Amino acid sequence: MTDQVHHLRDNPARYYEVLGRVMSALRETGALNGAAHLDWWPGNGGRTWEIEWQGGPFPAEAAARLLGAPEPSAEDDQGDHAVRGLISPGRSENERAHLVVLDVPVNLRAIDPIGTSQVWVTLTLTQG
């Protein structure tokens, strides 16, 4: 595919909206609980977003949390949920997951992930 859309140049408002929606959804869902050193940057010359963290959940687990985020109710005055109807799953492996948000690819990557179940065990350990 040689005709890639340059989202940052062609529609910068949408490009940055995607980052805002994904970051908001990551916070709202707690998808990165137990992770450290969160970072993000424009990828592939402004055609994608790259989001990376250390430890914490596997990227596929974080993507699943984003995909399963509840939609707001009719009474909810907070407006549309950050990811409602906008994310579709892509290829996944242990260290990476790929999403498409508002037609902008978003790549999730974890360095040394331990997985959600291990994060939960670590967060709930009682000291005795």
Side-chain angles (χ1 to χ4, degrees):
M1 177 180 226
T2 59
D3 253 356
Q4 287 187 350
V5 175
H6 191 293
H7 299 287
L8 180 56
R9 182 184 64 224
D10 297 341
N11 193 342
R14 173 173 267 179
Y15 186 70
Y16 283 100
E17 179 183 357
V18 166
L19 178 64
R21 286 176 179 259
V22 172
M23 298 305 280
S24 176
L26 287 170
R27 184 190 68 242
E28 289 173 16
T29 62
L32 295 183
N33 285 350
H37 307 292
L38 177 64
D39 198 5
W40 59 91
W41 61 92
N44 197 13
R47 292 174 175 85
T48 67
W49 278 110
E50 307 293 324
I51 300 174
E52 180 180 86
W53 63 90
Q54 186 170 12
F58 292 106
E61 293 172 325
R65 293 285 296 267
L66 294 178
L67 291 167
E71 295 186 15
S73 65
E75 306 84 45
D76 193 351
D77 61 354
Q78 296 179 1
D80 288 339
H81 191 278
V83 298
R84 183 175 59 110
L86 301 176
I87 293 182
S88 59
R91 297 178 300 122
S92 298
E93 53 191 60
N94 280 343
E95 291 81 25
R96 296 180 187 275
H98 309 280
L99 306 170
V100 178
V101 182
L102 292 174
D103 298 325
V104 176
V106 177
N107 298 308
L108 304 178
R109 178 174 180 238
I111 299 170
D112 299 325
I114 60 174
T116 301
S117 60
Q118 187 60 39
V119 167
W120 183 249
V121 167
T122 302
L123 292 175
T124 59
L125 282 177
T126 57
Q127 295 183 0

